[in-house]
Amino acid sequence: MKVVSLQLPSGPSMERLPLPFSPTELLWRYPLPWAPPPPSPLGDTKAQLPAGLPPEPRLWTREDVVVFLKWCEREFDLPNFDMDLFQMNGKALCLLTKTDLGERCPGAGDVLHNVLQMLVRDAALLGRVPSSPVTPTARAAPYPPSPHSHPPTPTWAVDGFHHFHSAAAAAAQPNSVTLSPAPSVDSSGSPQRGESMSYVTAYAPPVPATTQAASSGSNHSDSDEEAQFAPPPRSPKETPLTSPAPQNHTTQHGHYRTQHREFFPNDMPESNTNGRLLWDFLQQLLNDPTQRYTNYIAWKNRDTGVFKIVDPAGLAKLWGIQKNHLSMNYDKMSRALRYYYRVNILRKVQGERHCYQFLRNPTELKNIKNISLLRQQMSPTRVAQQPVVKSEMKEERCDDEPVDEDMPTDLSMAASEPWRKRARPDPANIPSQHDKHRISTLIGDNLILKRETDYSAESYALNLRSDKCEQ
DNA sequence: TACCCGGAAGTTCC
DNA sequence: AGGAACTTCCGGGT
């Protein structure tokens, strides 16, 4: 499966950001709702259209339609279309509904529909603001510069992690930017040799060599994108992988790749979440090897799982695209993040805006999914009996402690907070609003110690051992 | 004003 | 059908 580097429509800092989704995972998500002036929402995809194909699908001839369909087959690894069913011009093609397309090409209707929608939308935008023609060469032409193209990079965002060589970046792209493959780490792939592996390594995304080879040929070079998405420098303390700070990009990447190949074998099974869970989505953005999303979200301390949402609105839009909730905003997305508090996947870093901390490593999270969620109920009374520990969010390490197996992992209200059941329990046992708030606080506070423990490299290794035992 | 919090109800997908 | 994982909306606090 090839990856199309879809471009986000511009918004602040949205320019030229390829979304991390494979076509089949993403394309249905379009069309996009916000339409500030171009750059094109189709971006690279549009630019990769066959030369000579008009940018406006509705102007296509029958022959153009065939060319387009053939291109889609190749580009998106779609099953071959029955061209007899597409004896129509572009205008007619665009009138087909998703269902229509699905009937004509089972399994690819959504993709086709959404590609068309994007093209139509893009053509409309181009109509308003004439821009570069849709040619293979147009791709290399950068979009009009925007003052928002490169939002401020957090000072903590690193300086040892140099730009990848363009070929390497391109090679890394398929896995790094596709939400289909496993999330940051896979339970079956990584822990075996991971006893001494740090959190960093566990979070590092896969860069299988075979994928590189497979992808580098048919796709365009990313050299131009690399220039656009050159990752910000990283702090030397950032990770063992990057320290001491390498002088050579190729060496850097080689090391990186070597590490990943060790922990992410090529036969790694696919994720069971496909980036459709918010935590997984965030992890994938955070761990993008080419660091293209650091303008949106970036590790603040990868070892402890602390990250910062650099561009809340932008990130929310990305998430909205991912989930096809195009009115997504930070308020809504943050609500989803807050639901993670109760299941101890996340916590807020007190006093720092847009700063959160993962409380579970990806292996854990994935394992939880794999074992059908250990639905350990954490009763309010039980929680309330636990000591309250207020912990300042520093990168302090606590004693090693195994993963709390009693952690609720069910995001539903009922699982962790039974009073939220609509069929309410005995009223005598219902906490008051104040109590509820306190309990929630207790849940969060009480687990802080553990969280910071879990995210220390030592305990992460310990968790891995635990994972290993489970396997 | 923006961020943050959590309740409540609704939606979508599996 | 039912549950999980959000999404949407909201009132309140900082």
Side-chain angles (χ1 to χ4, degrees):
Chain A
M1 174 69 74
K2 291 176 57 179
V3 170
V4 165
S5 294
L6 287 169
Q7 298 293 320
L8 285 174
S10 75
S13 75
M14 280 270 180
E15 290 185 54
R16 295 190 54 75
L17 184 82
L19 273 172
F21 316 107
S22 63
T24 52
E25 288 296 320
L26 169 68
L27 291 176
W28 57 269
R29 297 178 175 97
Y30 268 81
L32 295 161
W34 68 93
S40 152
L42 253 186
D44 288 346
T45 304
K46 180 191 69 178
Q48 292 171 39
L49 281 173
L53 205 57
E56 165 60 273
R58 286 166 293 194
L59 300 179
W60 291 346
T61 64
R62 289 186 176 205
E63 291 71 32
D64 289 337
V65 168
V66 171
V67 169
F68 168 72
L69 294 173
K70 293 287 186 190
W71 174 80
C72 283
E73 289 174 0
R74 289 195 311 273
E75 205 64 18
F76 304 137
D77 288 342
L78 299 177
N80 288 348
F81 299 126
D82 182 352
M83 295 304 171
D84 289 341
L85 299 177
F86 290 95
Q87 290 300 313
M88 61 187 77
N89 60 20
K91 190 172 184 178
L93 182 67
C94 290
L95 288 174
L96 294 180
T97 66
K98 196 175 289 188
T99 307
D100 294 333
L101 290 166
E103 288 170 355
R104 285 169 168 78
C105 42
D110 280 6
V111 174
L112 208 50
H113 181 262
N114 286 297
V115 171
L116 282 167
Q117 292 301 308
M118 287 190 290
L119 289 169
V120 167
R121 175 181 295 265
D122 194 49
L125 291 174
L126 289 173
R128 275 190 290 158
V129 184
S131 183
S132 58
V134 182
T135 67
T137 53
R139 191 182 172 289
Y143 287 116
S146 157
H148 303 298
S149 294
H150 296 283
T153 302
T155 54
W156 40 264
V158 292
D159 44 59
F161 197 76
H162 302 285
H163 310 175
F164 291 146
H165 182 276
S166 61
Q173 196 159 330
N175 264 342
S176 66
V177 299
T178 302
L179 290 183
S180 299
S184 313
V185 78
D186 181 82
S187 55
S188 64
S190 58
Q192 278 77 355
R193 282 156 290 183
E195 293 198 5
S196 61
M197 182 171 78
S198 74
Y199 189 80
V200 173
T201 316
Y203 264 166
V207 189
T210 53
T211 308
Q212 300 166 24
S215 61
S216 57
S218 54
N219 253 339
H220 58 76
S221 158
D222 271 349
S223 55
D224 50 340
E225 284 187 7
E226 183 198 14
Q228 290 284 335
F229 295 114
R234 294 183 135 198
S235 105
K237 63 166 188 165
E238 183 76 350
T239 82
L241 291 181
T242 58
S243 90
Q247 304 296 314
N248 178 304
H249 298 176
T250 306
T251 303
Q252 163 73 29
H253 185 252
H255 183 197
Y256 188 80
R257 194 163 51 191
T258 300
Q259 294 271 344
H260 292 136
R261 280 187 54 75
E262 180 171 1
F263 294 110
F264 297 92
N266 293 333
D267 58 353
M268 187 172 65
E270 292 215 339
S271 162
N272 54 355
T273 62
N274 288 338
R276 289 185 177 157
L277 302 185
L278 181 53
W279 65 261
D280 193 16
F281 175 79
L282 297 179
Q283 296 259 354
Q284 297 212 21
L285 297 193
L286 284 165
N287 295 320
D288 178 56
T290 54
Q291 299 286 297
R292 280 165 300 177
Y293 304 98
T294 52
N295 287 343
Y296 294 85
I297 183 172
W299 287 119
K300 195 164 184 179
N301 186 319
R302 195 184 284 216
D303 289 331
T304 55
V306 176
F307 64 94
K308 176 161 187 159
I309 297 173
V310 182
D311 176 2
L315 181 68
K317 280 195 163 76
L318 290 181
W319 175 235
I321 293 168
Q322 169 76 346
K323 294 297 291 293
N324 202 24
H325 286 271
L326 301 179
S327 61
M328 181 57 62
N329 56 32
Y330 181 65
D331 185 48
K332 295 172 188 173
M333 190 188 74
S334 65
R335 182 69 190 94
L337 292 176
R338 289 195 294 277
Y339 273 123
Y340 281 150
Y341 297 174
R342 78 175 80 252
V343 289
N344 308 299
I345 290 173
L346 277 186
R347 61 163 283 217
K348 186 76 182 65
V349 175
Q350 296 300 316
E352 290 201 62
R353 282 188 166 188
H354 308 137
C355 237
Y356 298 84
Q357 180 185 22
F358 275 109
L359 301 180
R360 290 177 179 268
N361 62 49
T363 306
E364 265 186 277
L365 291 168
K366 186 142 188 303
N367 280 347
I368 287 167
K369 299 299 296 182
N370 288 345
I371 59 176
S372 302
L373 300 173
L374 312 157
R375 269 178 237 164
Q376 305 288 337
Q377 303 229 345
M378 181 175 268
S379 74
T381 49
R382 188 174 145 214
V383 173
Q385 289 165 355
Q386 296 179 359
V388 179
V389 180
K390 196 70 186 175
S391 168
E392 281 304 312
M393 182 46 220
K394 292 296 172 192
E395 317 301 353
E396 79 263 28
R397 301 279 169 86
C398 301
D399 54 328
D400 287 349
E401 199 172 343
V403 176
D404 184 355
E405 294 181 355
D406 288 337
M407 283 182 187
T409 55
D410 184 354
L411 282 178
S412 69
M413 321 295 178
S416 56
E417 302 184 26
W419 61 78
R420 297 184 184 192
K421 281 268 190 191
R422 301 201 182 151
R424 309 229 164 182
D426 180 1
N429 295 332
I430 302 174
S432 68
Q433 191 71 22
H434 173 77
D435 288 336
K436 283 194 267 182
H437 183 270
R438 171 162 175 75
I439 289 165
S440 296
T441 305
L442 287 169
I443 292 171
D445 289 344
N446 182 59
L447 291 164
I448 285 172
L449 281 177
K450 197 156 292 184
R451 298 303 76 70
E452 289 164 352
T453 302
D454 290 347
Y455 273 67
S456 70
E458 296 86 345
S459 66
Y460 185 66
L462 198 146
N463 292 342
L464 290 175
R465 283 192 290 274
S466 168
D467 294 335
K468 193 177 171 183
C469 290
E470 288 175 15
Q471 294 160 5

